[in-house]
Amino acid sequence: MAESKDKPGTGRHANRISSILVTQPKPTNDVSPYFSIAEKYGIKVDFREFIDVQPVSYKDFRKEKVNILEHTAVIFTSRNAVDHFFRICQEAKLEMPAEMKYFCISEQTANYLQKYIVLRKRKLFVGQRTAVDLFEVIKKHKTEKFLYPCSDIRKDDIPEFMRANGFKFTEAVIYRTVASDLSDLSDVKYDCIAFFSPSGISSLFINFPNFEQNGTRIAAFGPTTAKAVIDAGLELDIEAPHPNAPSMTGAIEAYIRHHHSSDVGKEKNKSGKQNA
């Protein structure tokens, strides 16, 4: 876990985290680890998307001159990509052939495919969590012609890997990401804000150009998000994934547990002195 130079109980870490803003949609079920953290530590957890996803129209997609059925494999890195890819297919009146292969960055994304296809009848290949994991899977399929449906703002890792390794590869922008209107948060303060993409950091400063971190802890998922935090002049307090916490919730809980235990220790010392 990456933390600031302040020691527990000093500087920006002096106060407990009592509120967290997660810059993602609210989970659709009640078993999210975020709810467990809220209940376990008595913390308020709110969810708010910092990025709006806007579809690329089928008319604009056609201008890219991408023939979906010329490809033998599709790479998915998010549920947004899955949704908008099949939206384009529906508008184009295309039915995916049974032999089409699907390469998903994670099990979560692969499971989401069930919304559109019957997984047991398809050729599905899944990475562990990151693009690097997926590369190891893709390397075994040199003869495929890959389609990468993505946003207008995306990481460079997949395109760079595909080109560097000589894969037949087409990139297709099927949705766009823009900053959400967060004006209603102007007077709301959180002890911790969790970010999941550089776009989220951009949205923060588009909405609040004069944002000052002060005592707010910043959490970031992934190296590119962490870099965006630092490049924006903010201090990074919680970074995921790391060996002891592969998820954002795990990293946040580890931070809370560490700093709350320090507070408990101080309270015990005070109590001991008073009793003496």
Side-chain angles (χ1 to χ4, degrees), residues 40-57:
K40 185 175 181 180
Y41 298 98
I43 292 173
K44 176 186 177 184
V45 179
D46 290 337
F47 300 85
R48 180 64 179 275
E49 290 183 87
F50 272 36
I51 296 296
D52 280 337
V53 174
Q54 298 181 347
V56 168
S57 69

Side-chain angles (χ1 to χ4, degrees), residues 105-123:
I105 197 166
S106 67
E107 195 71 40
Q108 183 182 34
T109 304
N111 290 336
Y112 190 71
L113 269 175
Q114 294 180 93
K115 183 177 178 181
Y116 299 98
I117 63 175
V118 180
L119 295 185
R120 61 184 174 79
K121 295 183 179 180
R122 302 291 179 168
K123 297 178 180 179

Side-chain angles (χ1 to χ4, degrees), residues 248-268:
M248 176 64 91
T249 50
I252 289 175
E253 183 167 13
Y255 179 94
I256 291 171
R257 190 165 55 241
H258 177 60
H259 286 76
H260 281 207
S261 65
S262 298
D263 290 343
V264 170
K266 288 190 294 183
E267 290 300 322
K268 286 183 177 179

Side-chain angles (χ1 to χ4, degrees), residues 150-154 171 173-178:
C150 60
S151 167
D152 60 327
I153 300 175
R154 51 96 178 120
E171 183 177 332
V173 175
I174 56 172
Y175 65 99
R176 298 186 177 92
T177 53
V178 299

